[in-house]
Amino acid sequence: MNWLLPRFVLAVLAVLLGAAIGIWIEHWLKLSMLSELLSASCAVAALVLVDAIRGHRLLQWLRGSQLDTAPRDSGLWGELAYRIERAVRDRDKTIARERTQLDQFLSAIEASPNGVMMLDEQDQIHWCNRVAADHFSLDPQRDLRQRVTNLVRSPAFVAYMQAGQFEKALILNNVRGLGTLSVVVRRYGEGMTLVLSQDITERERADAMRRDFVANVSHEIRTPLTVLSGFIETMSSLPLTDTERRRVLTLMGQQTQRMQGLVSDLLTLAQLEGSPRPAPDRWVALDGLLARINSDALALSAGRHQIDVQLDTHIELAGVESELLSAAANLVTNAVRYTPEGGDVDVSWRLLSDGSGELSVIDTGPGIPREHLPRLTERFYRVDGSRSRETGGTGLGLSIVKHVLQRHGGELQISSEPGKGSKFKLVFPAVRVRLMGETPLGVESAMSSSLPN
Ligand code: ADP
C-alpha cells in the first residue's frame, strides 16, 4: 500500500493547487467562488488524465506479446505493472518448463522400440510415434484426427477395437506383408485409449524354430527306437538262427550308435550355445589337430579314398582345442562319407596377406546343388536324407561347424557344384592366427595403428 499515501498527497496537492489558482483568478480577475471550484476540478481532471495515460500504456503492453518490459511508472501504476509483469514472467517460465518436460517425454516415447499411439474419445489419432506409424503404415502428421479404424483396415484390428475387449493382446499376422505384430490396448484418462504395438516377428520365428527343433529331435530319436523295439520283439517272439541273430544284433548296434551320435551332437550344440566366447590367448597347434584328423580320416576311409592332409603348417590358432578339432573333423568326415570310393580328399592351410588364414577341405564327391548351399548349416538339413543316415550322419555336423567358427570370430564358406566336388573353408581372423611362437599379424597391425606417429 506504499502507493496510497503519495497518491493521496498528490490528490490533495492537486486540489490545493487548483484552489490557489482559483483564488488568484478571483483576486486578479475579480471572478466569483466558481473559478476556485472550476480550477480544483481541472486539477483533478488533469490527475485523472495522467492516470488514464498510464493505464492505457499498461493495457497496451498487456495486449501485446509482453516480450519487452512493462511500463516503468512510479506509484500505483508502477507497482501494478511490476506485479503483472512478474506474474506473466512466472507463467511463461512454468509453461516453458512444462513444454520441455513434454518434449522430453515425447522424445522418450519416440525413442521406444515399440509403437505408441494415443486415441481420443472417438478413436481418432491424437498422437503416435514413428514406430507405431511404421507398424500401421500411418503418417504421424497427416493422419492426426483421423479415425484409426478408417486407416488400419485389417479386419482383425477393426473387430478388436469395436469389441472393446482388451484383456488379451491382439496378434496381427502378415502386417504390411512382412511380419507379426502384438497389439495391446488400454483405456486411460477420460475416454482416451493407448495402443501399444510390438514387432514380434523375430520372436515368432525363434519359437517356430524351437518347435521345429523339438519335432526334429523327437523324429530323429523315434526312428532308431522304433527299429530297436521291432528287433527286440522279433528276437523275443521268433526262434532265430545264429546267423540271423548276429545280423539283428549288428543292426541293433548300428541304431544304438546312431542315437549316441545324435545325443552327442545335441550336447555339443547345447554346450556351444551356453558357453562364453573362447579366449583369444589360448593357442592350439594346428599340426597336432591335423595329425589326429588325418588318422581318423584314414580309418574311416579304410583305403577307399586318396587322402592328403597338410601336416606342416607351423600355425597356431587361438581358441578351444576340442571345438576346433570338432569343426575340422566334421568337415573331413563329411568329405570321406560323401565321396564315393576312389575319390580324393585334400586338407590344406593358407595364410592370407592380412594375417587371417583358412583351412580348406576339398573333395571330389558328388557336389551339392546351388539351391541347397544357404541352408546346409541349418539343424537337421540334409540334401540327401537317406545317404546321410546310411553313413551315420545326424544332420547337425555343419550346424556345429558354423557355431564353432562364429564363436572364434571366423566363418564357414561353402562352394560346390554337382558333379565337381565340394570345398568347405574355415576362415579364421588374423587375431586368432599366428606362426608358432610369433605374435599374430592382426595384433601387430592393431598395435601399430594405435601407436602415435
Ligand atoms: P550330416 O550329418 O547329414 O552329414 P551335416 O550337417 O554334416 O549333416 O551336413 C548337411 C548336409 O550337407 C548333408 O546331409 C549332406 O547332404 C551335405 N553335405 C555335407 N558335406 C558334404 C560333402 N562333402 N559333399 C556332399 N554333400 C555334403
Side-chain angles (χ1 to χ4, degrees):
M1 302 289 266
N2 55 357
W3 51 268
L4 192 59
L5 187 66
R7 195 162 179 75
F8 179 72
V9 172
L10 205 68
V12 171
L13 280 178
V15 171
L16 289 179
L17 185 69
I21 294 170
I23 291 168
W24 182 80
I25 295 171
E26 187 190 349
H27 179 77
W28 289 103
L29 302 177
K30 303 283 179 241
L31 288 173
S32 69
M33 266 290 283
L34 190 68
S35 61
E36 286 165 31
L37 227 96
L38 222 75
S39 303
S41 306
C42 284
V44 170
L47 201 64
V48 169
L49 184 69
V50 169
D51 268 353
I53 292 170
R54 288 174 164 187
H56 177 74
R57 275 220 308 263
L58 181 59
L59 259 178
Q60 283 292 95
W61 178 78
L62 275 172
R63 283 191 191 121
S65 61
Q66 296 141 25
L67 291 176
D68 50 346
T69 49
R72 290 277 175 262
D73 289 320
S74 55
L76 168 66
W77 292 108
E79 178 152 0
L80 213 59
Y82 167 73
R83 292 202 180 276
I84 292 175
E85 185 179 9
R86 211 171 65 175
V88 167
R89 298 288 173 246
D90 284 351
R91 184 204 62 184
D92 286 352
K93 266 189 216 152
T94 311
I95 292 175
R97 202 171 41 238
E98 280 171 3
R99 190 165 293 153
T100 313
Q101 277 173 355
L102 183 68
D103 284 350
Q104 284 171 350
F105 182 66
L106 288 181
S107 37
I109 303 181
E110 196 63 73
S112 159
N114 298 330
V116 181
M117 178 159 54
M118 296 169 190
L119 308 179
D120 63 13
E121 301 87 344
Q122 277 89 44
D123 281 350
Q124 290 173 344
I125 300 170
H126 185 65
W127 185 86
C128 76
N129 69 356
R130 228 164 295 144
V131 181
D134 189 37
H135 283 169
F136 295 109
S137 303
L138 300 171
D139 183 318
Q141 298 304 322
R142 191 197 57 207
D143 293 337
L144 290 185
R145 303 268 151 243
Q146 300 284 326
R147 210 184 172 88
V148 71
T149 41
N150 290 346
L151 300 170
V152 183
R153 306 300 289 265
S154 151
F157 180 79
V158 175
Y160 184 72
M161 292 303 290
Q162 281 168 354
Q165 307 286 317
F166 302 133
E167 295 82 29
K168 272 192 184 170
L170 167 72
I171 304 297
L172 282 179
N173 286 312
N174 224 0
V175 185
R176 295 168 291 140
L178 290 175
T180 310
L181 273 189
S182 163
V183 181
V184 174
V185 178
R186 292 286 175 268
R187 297 273 189 222
Y188 75 100
E190 287 171 19
M192 298 288 283
T193 306
L194 185 68
V195 180
L196 302 169
S197 54
Q198 189 184 9
D199 188 339
I200 53 166
T201 314
E202 273 312 308
R203 203 170 76 195
E204 292 279 292
R205 196 172 295 153
D207 281 352
M209 271 173 68
R210 220 181 351 259
R211 279 196 299 273
D212 282 358
F213 182 63
V214 172
N216 277 324
V217 170
S218 312
H219 174 76
E220 294 289 332
I221 289 182
R222 196 185 298 131
T223 315
L225 272 180
T226 314
V227 178
L228 277 176
S229 70
F231 282 143
I232 290 169
E233 213 178 297
T234 311
M235 285 183 86
S236 53
S237 58
L238 293 176
L240 299 176
T241 62
D242 266 3
T243 327
E244 282 169 340
R245 219 161 55 89
R246 260 200 305 278
R247 216 191 110 248
V248 167
L249 283 174
T250 311
L251 291 172
M252 285 172 82
Q254 280 172 2
Q255 294 303 324
T256 314
Q257 259 178 12
R258 190 174 150 192
M259 274 207 300
Q260 272 171 344
L262 179 68
V263 171
S264 141
D265 276 0
L266 284 172
L267 283 176
T268 307
L269 265 180
Q271 231 163 18
L272 289 175
E273 279 174 349
S275 49
R277 231 180 140 101
D281 55 357
R282 276 168 49 195
W283 293 95
V284 180
L286 180 60
D287 291 343
L289 297 184
L290 292 175
R292 282 157 73 179
I293 287 167
N294 186 37
S295 57
D296 287 353
L298 289 171
L300 185 65
S301 162
R304 290 176 296 129
H305 308 88
Q306 174 67 39
I307 294 174
D308 188 1
V309 179
Q310 184 185 346
L311 295 167
D312 55 351
T313 62
H314 307 299
I315 286 290
E316 286 180 319
L317 297 175
V320 180
E321 183 170 4
S322 58
E323 292 185 19
L324 295 171
L325 180 66
S326 159
N330 255 307
L331 295 187
V332 178
T333 310
N334 275 354
V336 173
R337 279 169 47 218
Y338 290 106
T339 304
E341 193 165 350
D344 295 347
V345 175
D346 279 343
V347 181
S348 58
W349 170 263
R350 193 157 77 103
L351 190 62
L352 304 175
S353 58
D354 63 355
S356 62
E358 52 187 41
L359 184 72
S360 306
V361 179
I362 304 170
D363 65 53
T364 55
I368 303 161
R370 178 190 290 267
E371 66 272 19
H372 294 287
L373 296 181
R375 299 197 59 191
L376 284 185
T377 55
E378 283 175 22
R379 291 163 190 198
F380 298 113
Y381 189 84
R382 292 161 166 121
V383 178
D384 178 351
S386 57
R387 173 96 186 96
S388 159
R389 289 189 187 90
E390 244 169 55
T391 53
T394 60
L396 295 172
L398 292 181
S399 181
I400 292 175
V401 177
K402 184 179 124 182
H403 259 80
V404 169
L405 264 286
Q406 274 177 350
R407 282 163 51 74
H408 286 78
E411 63 170 327
L412 167 66
Q413 292 177 358
I414 310 171
S415 49
S416 184
E417 246 183 85
K420 291 194 176 165
S422 311
K423 182 174 183 177
F424 290 78
K425 265 197 295 189
L426 303 181
V427 185
F428 292 92
V431 280
R432 288 190 180 266
V433 177
R434 72 175 185 189
L435 271 170
M436 263 178 179
E438 288 181 12
T439 315
L441 200 57
V443 171
E444 271 173 6
S445 55
M447 276 167 59
S448 60
S449 64
S450 64
L451 286 175
N453 291 324

